[in-house]
Amino acid sequence: MDWMTLSPEEWTAVRLSLKVATVATLVGLPFGIGVALALARGRFWGQSLLNGLVLLPLILPPVVTGYILLIVFGQRGPVGRWLADYFGIVFSFRWTGAALACGIMGFPLMVRAIRLAIESVDARLEEAAGTLGANRTWVFATVTLPLIVPGILTGMILCFAKAMGEFGATITFVSNIPGETQTLPSAIYTFTQVPGGDQGALRLTLVSVAISMLALLASEVMARLAHRRLEIE
Amino acid sequence: MTLAIDIRHRLGSFQLDAKFETGGGLVALFGRSGSGKTSIVNIIAGLIRPDHGRVVNDGVVLVDRARGIFVPRHRRRIGYVFQEGRLFPHLTVRQNLLYGRFFAPDSERREGFDPVVDLLGIGGLLDRRPGRLSGGEKQRVAIGRALLAGPRLLLMDEPLASLDEARKAEIFPYIERLRDQNRVPIVYVSHALAEVARLASTVVLVAEGKVAAVGATTDVMHRLDLFALTGRAEAGSIIEAIVERHDAAFGLTELRSRAGVWRLPRLDLAIGTRLRLTVRARDVMLAKSAPGDLSALNIVPGVVTDMAGAGGSMGAIVEIKLDCNGDVLIARLTRYSVERLGLAPGQQIHALIKSVALDRRGLSGPNRGPAGADAEANET
């Protein structure tokens, strides 16, 4: 069983990946709901442009996305320098950068799931809430939001899973620094590049499979619970 | 309370041009499907912004396009019971009922939770979710939810249309109680003559986006010229009657109206109960002299007051309106029969109606509610 034990370095990579994926999902969530609402319900100039921009990371090679992040959010990038000067937020070669890259890559999946959920909400229920005295904010909080919870959970899990597996954009943007930006996929990649790294790669692969399976199971359970609660007529 | 509407609105190729004013009680917006009834209530509720015009309820201006006034739906204090209920699927019945109450200011909470739950008989459903309710239960909860928001006007858009006859019969008494306890003025949308005849005190007849007639239910229903709009097959007259006697031996009940005595199959109603009897024009026969040996039990003398041919003077069918000591009866005959009898306005005549034609569906009364209706009424 010795070969099954993770080394401290490997544990660090697992913990870092979980942290990066969790932060990417949670920080991305409010933006995801906002953008999904704008795309599903809004009617404004540039809507198709926004839609395309959100979906872009899904289609671009991850390396290209990573490089764009490097140019924009890097130390000398316009947004990166501004954030560093005014808020002290630094992305380049930090785990925060890995979270940003993972979040950007998972964002389209999250938005898509939430948007579909919003579009399937019966607008007539929202009308009914309006006649009962709820203004738009209350209608959203008490009717729309509870009804799209299953979609939000699906979106979060998709985003989390994508973030756990993200490799190309992360390694391009923040490199592969053990303990700082070396996530699970980067660590597996590193193992495959050194002689005798097979066992380490296998161990981390199993961990990766286990986490993915758990995430899938969790989403199944939550979807079933949500469905039972709603008892769709 | 008065509701005054004067609106013009275009929906695709459909032009709505409605103007009417009503008092309290239960006002029916009556007309065929697609005549614009639902658009009118949607404008009252604030779900549609009309192109032009005004909506004023109880002195409060809700819409006045000329002055740029449009009160948003959540500030109108107008309850809305939708055809499909529209209960919130993620909330229990209790939470659904309390939803509108949460948003109502204290001064507007006119209805207590328990009285409304009792009125609608939904006490046993409170912890269930809407997905597990029958159609009739859903509509009762929807009525309760709208009432508890403390509305100044209650809109009901064909609340019975999606229910079968048994479920309809289950809800009628609750709507009648609501009407008779005079808690809130109601605008009731329907295309079913029987519902309107049974429930409404005032009728607004809507046809092709316009108001064809407004008036007391009996006045509108008894206008021969409107039969084409009110629905010829079911058209007839409405007679206010009172339960006078039960004949146990033959299983009959005797009602009295101004026209005389009506015998019909036994009704489980207390003596003295007031009700409305609907007599369809196609169920009425006429005879010039009082007939002797005849099976029909209801023979009412009257005077011909009006005659109108359906489909013009050369049509096969003629409707004849009678004055029976103050009650109106309408008979539908062939033109051939009319000429054979030589019927003309002013003529004395006898109307014959089979008892079995007067079935329970044509009846309504304030006290036909379920057990406990009277006790509840005394409490409030």
Side-chain angles (χ1 to χ4, degrees):
Chain A
M1 291 303 286
D2 203 32
W3 67 275
M4 281 297 288
T5 317
L6 294 182
S7 70
E9 292 76 22
E10 289 159 10
W11 267 120
T12 308
V14 172
R15 270 200 306 270
L16 182 69
S17 257
L18 287 172
K19 178 164 84 171
V20 163
T22 306
V23 168
T25 305
L26 292 181
V27 174
L29 183 61
F31 296 99
I33 294 175
V35 170
L37 260 182
L39 290 177
R41 292 287 170 80
R43 291 283 166 272
F44 55 91
W45 188 89
Q47 199 171 13
S48 327
L49 195 71
L50 177 65
N51 187 35
L53 215 59
V54 168
L55 290 179
L56 209 54
L58 215 55
I59 303 147
L60 282 179
V63 177
V64 173
T65 306
Y67 189 65
I68 293 172
L69 286 177
L70 189 60
I71 295 171
V72 178
F73 290 94
Q75 264 167 336
R76 284 185 297 277
V79 180
R81 195 186 309 166
W82 182 76
L83 282 175
D85 286 355
Y86 289 92
F87 299 96
I89 299 173
V90 178
F91 287 115
S92 51
F93 307 109
R94 299 281 177 83
W95 72 270
T96 47
L100 177 66
C102 291
I104 295 278
M105 294 299 289
F107 198 63
L109 300 174
M110 172 145 58
V111 168
R112 195 150 186 80
I114 299 174
R115 180 183 171 174
L116 283 176
I118 293 172
E119 282 170 351
S120 70
V121 169
D122 190 348
R124 295 174 309 169
L125 291 177
E126 297 171 324
E127 276 185 355
T131 66
L132 290 164
N135 65 23
R136 287 175 65 168
T137 313
W138 275 110
V139 171
F140 178 75
T142 58
V143 178
T144 320
L145 196 59
L147 289 175
I148 63 171
V149 161
I152 290 176
L153 291 176
T154 308
M156 286 176 72
I157 283 166
L158 284 173
C159 180
F160 182 83
K162 177 76 186 168
M164 284 298 294
E166 215 300 308
F167 174 67
T170 311
I171 205 162
T172 312
F173 181 31
V174 292
S175 185
N176 184 1
I177 305 161
E180 185 66 41
T181 65
Q182 192 180 68
T183 55
L184 259 178
S186 309
I188 293 172
Y189 172 75
T190 308
F191 273 123
T192 62
Q193 299 302 300
V194 296
D198 297 352
Q199 273 201 357
L202 185 62
R203 278 197 295 271
L204 289 183
T205 301
L206 289 175
V207 170
S208 197
V209 169
I211 292 173
S212 303
M213 282 302 290
L214 274 175
L216 267 179
L217 271 177
S219 81
E220 276 292 309
V221 169
M222 284 189 285
R224 207 169 298 168
L225 282 179
H227 188 77
R228 190 178 305 165
R229 211 164 58 96
L230 290 186
E231 303 268 357
I232 306 303
E233 296 161 43
Chain B
M1 110 86 207
T2 56
L3 173 67
I5 285 175
D6 182 2
I7 42 166
R8 270 173 298 145
H9 187 66
R10 176 168 283 284
L11 287 154
S13 62
F14 183 77
Q15 179 72 42
L16 192 63
D17 191 346
K19 180 171 180 181
F20 63 86
E21 209 165 303
T22 65
L26 193 147
V27 177
L29 281 187
F30 177 53
R32 296 211 179 114
S33 300
S35 57
K37 311 178 296 283
T38 298
S39 302
I40 294 174
V41 286
N42 280 344
I43 286 171
I44 299 173
L47 303 182
I48 297 178
R49 188 188 295 249
D51 298 334
H52 306 278
R54 283 162 54 87
V55 177
V56 182
N57 180 43
D58 203 10
V60 180
V61 179
L62 299 175
V63 180
D64 189 339
R65 293 311 305 261
R67 279 160 61 202
I69 297 174
F70 181 82
V71 178
R73 64 186 77 149
H74 65 274
R75 294 216 205 95
R76 291 198 179 193
R77 311 230 57 75
I78 290 183
Y80 200 147
V81 178
F82 299 90
Q83 185 174 335
E84 347 71 76
R86 301 197 194 181
L87 299 178
F88 303 125
H90 57 296
L91 302 179
T92 61
V93 167
R94 184 193 305 275
Q95 290 166 326
N96 265 286
L97 288 170
L98 291 171
Y99 189 92
R101 197 176 170 75
F102 173 77
F103 295 105
D106 287 338
S107 60
E108 298 282 347
R109 289 184 186 175
R110 286 178 284 273
E111 301 283 352
F113 183 79
D114 294 332
V116 168
V117 168
D118 287 347
L119 171 81
L120 296 165
I122 48 181
L125 312 174
L126 292 177
D127 296 319
R128 290 205 230 161
R129 284 186 196 277
R132 302 228 165 155
L133 302 182
S134 73
E137 289 169 339
K138 273 182 201 158
Q139 283 309 58
R140 272 144 63 195
V141 174
I143 294 169
R145 181 178 71 169
L147 269 184
L148 283 166
R152 295 189 183 142
L153 173 69
L154 186 61
L155 307 174
M156 303 179 99
D157 183 12
E158 310 234 10
L160 307 180
S162 57
L163 306 176
D164 58 35
E165 286 300 328
R167 296 281 151 268
K168 277 183 197 170
E170 170 196 326
I171 301 209
F172 262 128
Y174 295 108
I175 298 177
E176 283 171 343
R177 277 159 80 179
L178 197 56
R179 174 197 64 193
D180 297 331
Q181 293 176 5
N182 219 0
R183 292 175 180 231
V184 60
I186 300 172
V187 172
Y188 186 98
V189 172
S190 179
H191 69 269
L193 190 69
E195 285 175 27
V196 173
R198 180 165 174 177
L199 295 173
S201 43
T202 307
V203 169
V204 177
L205 184 62
V206 184
E208 285 161 12
K210 293 186 175 55
V211 174
V214 185
T217 305
T218 46
D219 294 347
V220 173
M221 294 297 174
H222 291 166
R223 271 177 61 183
L224 300 182
D225 58 317
L226 295 175
F227 268 26
L229 300 174
T230 50
R232 199 166 284 277
E234 292 289 313
S237 52
I238 300 167
I239 289 168
E240 308 269 355
I242 186 162
V243 177
E244 194 171 61
R245 196 169 84 81
H246 293 296
D247 181 344
F250 288 102
L252 293 178
T253 294
E254 284 181 15
L255 309 180
R256 175 166 291 283
S257 78
R258 282 171 293 185
V261 175
W262 301 81
R263 292 185 187 84
L264 58 162
R266 164 140 193 143
L267 302 170
D268 291 326
L269 293 175
I271 287 169
T273 306
R274 296 190 162 279
L275 49 78
R276 278 183 183 175
L277 195 61
T278 313
V279 184
R280 281 176 299 211
R282 62 174 190 209
D283 293 331
V284 179
M285 281 187 284
L286 296 184
K288 285 182 88 168
S289 53
D293 302 332
L294 196 73
S295 67
L297 287 175
N298 301 301
I299 300 171
V300 180
V303 179
V304 176
T305 56
D306 195 8
M307 296 166 59
S313 59
M314 291 315 287
I317 305 292
V318 179
E319 267 125 14
I320 294 132
K321 192 158 157 181
L322 311 177
D323 174 19
C324 305
N325 190 30
D327 276 342
V328 173
L329 261 182
I330 296 168
R332 180 174 305 147
L333 304 182
T334 58
R335 192 157 54 84
Y336 177 74
S337 302
V338 171
E339 297 209 349
R340 205 161 50 94
L341 292 174
L343 293 179
Q347 189 161 13
Q348 297 281 338
I349 204 89
H350 295 270
L352 284 56
I353 305 103
K354 286 179 73 173
S355 293
V356 292
L358 304 170
D359 56 16
R360 302 191 60 113
R361 275 183 55 202
L363 297 169
S364 75
N367 295 333
R368 283 194 69 230
D374 298 337
E376 216 270 318
N378 292 337
E379 279 166 25
T380 48

